[in-house]
Amino acid sequence: MDPATYRYRPPKPNYLPHNIEADDPVVEEYNVPLGKADDRENAIFFNKMKFAAQEYNIVRPKGYTVSFHAQPEMEKHHFGQTHPMKPWRLTLTKSLVTSYGMPFAMDNYLTREATYEELNSFHSRDYLEYLVMAAPEDQPRDIENPDKEVKFNLGGSDCPLFHGLYNYCSMSAGTSLDAARKICNKQSDIAIAWGGGLHHAKKTEASGFCYINDIVLAILQLLRIHARVLYVDIDVHHGDGVEEAFFSTDRVMTVSFHKYQPDYFFPGTGGLDDNGPKSEHNPGAHHAINVPLNDGITDEQYEALFKNIVGAVNERYRPSAIALQCGADSLAGDRLGRFNLRVQGHGACVRYCKSLGLPMILFGGGGYTPRNVARAWAYETSIAIGADTRIPETIPEHTPWREHFVHDTLFPTLEQSMSEPRHNRNSEKRLREIVAHVHEQLRFVSHAPSVQSQIIPPDLGGIRDDVEARLKEEKEERNDELRRIREEGLGQAMEL
């Protein structure tokens, strides 16, 4: 990044516990402990999952492979009682995905933790060492003294030092790295990593609930194989960490759709004119596209804007892979978001990117009303495997923790998601101005950017092989069970 052309703007606070009352009408706190099922309960649920897959015709898609990358141990971590980030939203997501029988249509991977060396391929050593050694703290340091300085932005209300923090970060990064490697090895065409998507983390700093930028790590892997990568971000917050990481390269184009209110809404960056370095001699010039939006944007507006802009970017930039961050805090009724998007409108973005026919990673991201996060990511999983038109709208009766979804539908109305829709402050005139500006920026983007790279991202192949060799024996123990499932023909399209 050229310091002479980039103006640093300090991040605005994303969350303070003492403002929690303002969110009470939107979200309820979940304090119910999640028990562990015994073998008998697991067997019963597995049979119900098989029946659902057969009933809804959940089969492997023809012509391409979808993979699902997860680490269940992530779900057990806790940021703090009043913190908006709830890792158990991954538990709810898994409950929906499995209840519909979707795992039978995908390659499912239990991912390992990312190693220190893998994290160091982007993050600095001093930052990682502090992250490893920092002791957990039961209360954020800035509650009683908002001006108290914290090292590497760790220990405050946004990024608390909770128990198991480094393990959590390593597991999150591990899911995204595994997804990227399956894309690079052509073992997968669409790789899903809902445990990733933490787009605010910087090279030497935590930010906005994000400690390790797994997206950057994954894109660095993609760049070993793919000449140009398109990064698209539909989180309600600006994808500043990813944009900053690839600020001075033309091998990654970043496109972020987000709420923009610099004086009040985190992180305060991502204005329409923020399009990369100002110097035309910097390869990254015009390779950052920002789509700043106001409160209350609707499904129809968002989908039309998304298709227009991403379609134009794809046509001009010609990427060979897509990294799509599916932050669900852009949904209506989110604890921090302020849009009027329904699950269908959010999923339409995934469907359009899939239609481009490029290898793609689907990342998680923000999302602070767990039940709606789970709905969106389950629906988008069904889009990835081509089953979105076959799964029923009513959540299956055998879904674990079904009562936490409040309404039994996969597609709640705006009225069900929130007390009343947000006032739409996005005029059609303003949206046309955004489209015109983006198209003007794209005129300066070369059809075939240079792919020469003086510094090739590290593959870390030897380290990876050593770690994965230790897991081989555990995998072999599961082979018999996998063989039996394949012999049943589940997930395979049958001849009539």
Side-chain angles (χ1 to χ4, degrees):
M1 184 185 302
D2 184 356
T5 60
Y6 183 77
R7 182 168 62 89
Y8 173 73
R9 282 170 287 191
K12 304 294 187 297
N14 196 16
Y15 163 71
L16 288 175
H18 55 263
N19 291 332
I20 196 81
E21 287 94 1
D23 298 310
D24 283 345
V26 177
V27 66
E28 72 176 89
E29 289 292 331
Y30 295 107
N31 299 313
V32 181
L34 301 180
K36 185 176 181 180
D38 58 30
D39 290 343
R40 177 178 172 276
E41 291 172 320
N42 283 333
I44 292 173
F45 177 75
F46 183 76
N47 286 329
K48 291 179 178 179
M49 186 174 76
K50 288 198 298 185
F51 180 78
Q54 294 166 342
E55 182 179 9
Y56 309 143
N57 192 26
I58 304 297
V59 296
R60 288 179 173 270
K62 292 183 178 180
Y64 66 98
T65 300
V66 180
S67 58
F68 194 88
H69 307 262
Q71 175 46 262
E73 292 299 313
M74 283 184 65
E75 304 164 19
K76 301 177 182 179
H77 288 79
H78 198 263
F79 279 60
Q81 189 62 45
T82 59
H83 198 285
M85 178 63 88
K86 308 291 184 187
W88 82 281
R89 64 198 180 138
L90 297 172
T91 306
L92 287 185
T93 301
K94 180 174 65 179
S95 77
L96 276 183
V97 169
T98 54
S99 295
Y100 280 113
M102 296 185 211
F104 293 112
M106 303 182 285
D107 291 336
N108 301 280
Y109 295 98
L110 181 64
T111 62
R112 62 168 174 81
E113 294 183 10
T115 65
Y116 179 93
E117 290 80 6
E118 287 170 329
L119 301 181
N120 186 225
S121 65
F122 173 60
H123 293 283
S124 66
R125 285 191 175 274
D126 55 346
Y127 174 64
L128 290 176
E129 287 168 3
Y130 185 82
L131 196 64
V132 171
M133 300 301 295
E137 299 175 354
D138 293 332
Q139 178 172 295
R141 301 176 189 178
D142 56 358
I143 289 183
E144 296 181 357
N145 183 3
D147 298 322
K148 188 170 183 179
E149 186 175 347
V150 292
K151 192 173 183 180
F152 300 115
N153 200 30
L154 290 168
S157 298
D158 268 16
C159 301
L161 292 167
F162 59 85
H163 293 266
L165 171 59
Y166 183 77
N167 290 340
Y168 175 84
C169 295
S170 301
M171 287 186 281
S172 173
T175 63
S176 298
L177 280 169
D178 192 49
R181 284 171 176 148
K182 293 301 185 291
I183 293 289
C184 289
N185 295 339
K186 297 185 178 180
Q187 293 175 257
S188 179
D189 298 291
I190 300 177
I192 301 171
W194 295 135
L198 306 179
H199 58 170
H200 293 306
K202 311 297 194 298
K203 183 180 181 72
T204 59
E205 181 183 86
S207 177
F209 315 164
C210 305
Y211 302 83
I212 293 294
N213 201 315
D214 61 282
I215 300 173
V216 172
L217 296 173
I219 292 176
L220 287 174
Q221 286 296 316
L222 294 178
L223 289 175
R224 297 193 61 81
I225 302 297
H226 296 277
R228 295 176 294 281
V229 175
L230 172 59
Y231 171 69
V232 184
D233 191 315
I234 58 174
D235 195 288
V236 78
H237 301 96
H238 177 225
D240 57 336
V242 182
E243 179 182 301
E244 181 179 309
F246 300 108
F247 195 73
S248 293
T249 180
D250 58 2
R251 294 190 63 197
V252 179
M253 172 80 84
T254 62
V255 183
S256 179
F257 297 78
H258 52 269
K259 173 178 165 61
Y260 181 66
Q261 197 173 7
D263 295 331
Y264 302 101
F265 196 73
F266 181 88
T269 54
L272 186 60
D273 295 326
D274 294 334
N275 301 122
K278 300 306 179 187
S279 171
E280 295 295 334
H281 299 292
N282 191 312
H286 311 291
H287 282 74
I289 301 295
N290 284 300
V291 184
L293 303 169
N294 296 320
D295 292 352
I297 192 166
T298 64
D299 283 356
E300 295 75 19
Q301 289 178 318
Y302 199 94
E303 183 176 354
L305 193 65
F306 186 89
K307 289 181 176 180
N308 188 313
I309 290 175
V310 174
V313 169
N314 178 64
E315 183 178 350
R316 185 73 181 179
Y317 185 60
R318 298 179 185 175
S320 57
I322 295 176
L324 176 57
Q325 197 264 20
C326 302
D329 47 6
S330 48
L331 289 171
D334 187 79
R335 187 173 183 176
L336 299 183
R338 295 293 183 268
F339 289 168
N340 286 334
L341 293 187
R342 296 182 61 197
V343 170
Q344 299 96 313
H346 201 267
C349 301
V350 176
R351 184 180 292 106
Y352 182 73
C353 286
K354 178 188 173 186
S355 73
L356 299 178
L358 297 171
M360 179 168 63
I361 302 177
L362 299 181
F363 300 95
Y368 309 103
T369 303
R371 56 181 176 268
N372 287 339
V373 176
R375 286 183 168 102
W377 292 349
Y379 179 57
E380 285 155 11
T381 301
S382 76
I383 292 172
I385 63 175
D388 49 302
T389 59
R390 300 195 295 274
I391 61 172
E393 179 177 338
T394 301
I395 294 174
E397 291 288 342
H398 60 273
T399 302
W401 305 293
R402 190 175 187 268
E403 67 277 8
H404 290 301
F405 290 96
V406 182
H407 303 288
D408 65 359
T409 176
L410 195 61
F411 306 122
T413 63
L414 291 180
E415 291 71 24
Q416 289 173 326
S417 296
M418 55 207 311
S419 54
E420 61 180 273
R422 307 280 180 188
H423 177 63
N424 188 355
R425 302 183 184 278
N426 298 274
S427 67
E428 293 301 324
K429 178 176 180 293
R430 176 58 177 163
L431 296 182
R432 287 195 297 270
E433 290 173 352
I434 291 173
V435 169
H437 178 89
V438 171
H439 282 258
E440 177 65 18
Q441 287 297 314
L442 290 176
R443 287 202 312 112
F444 299 97
V445 174
S446 171
H447 270 291
S450 167
V451 299
Q452 183 177 357
S453 180
Q454 293 180 344
I455 301 177
I456 299 176
D459 181 52
L460 302 170
I463 299 170
R464 184 182 73 237
D465 292 342
D466 289 344
V467 174
E468 293 183 350
R470 294 199 300 266
L471 303 177
K472 187 176 181 180
E473 291 185 9
E474 297 177 17
K475 183 178 180 181
E476 289 176 349
E477 292 177 1
R478 298 193 297 268
N479 280 347
D480 286 342
E481 179 64 24
L482 292 173
R483 177 183 54 77
R484 286 194 293 270
I485 292 173
R486 292 192 191 100
E487 288 174 353
E488 290 182 23
L490 287 167
Q492 305 298 324
M494 307 300 289
E495 296 293 336
L496 296 177

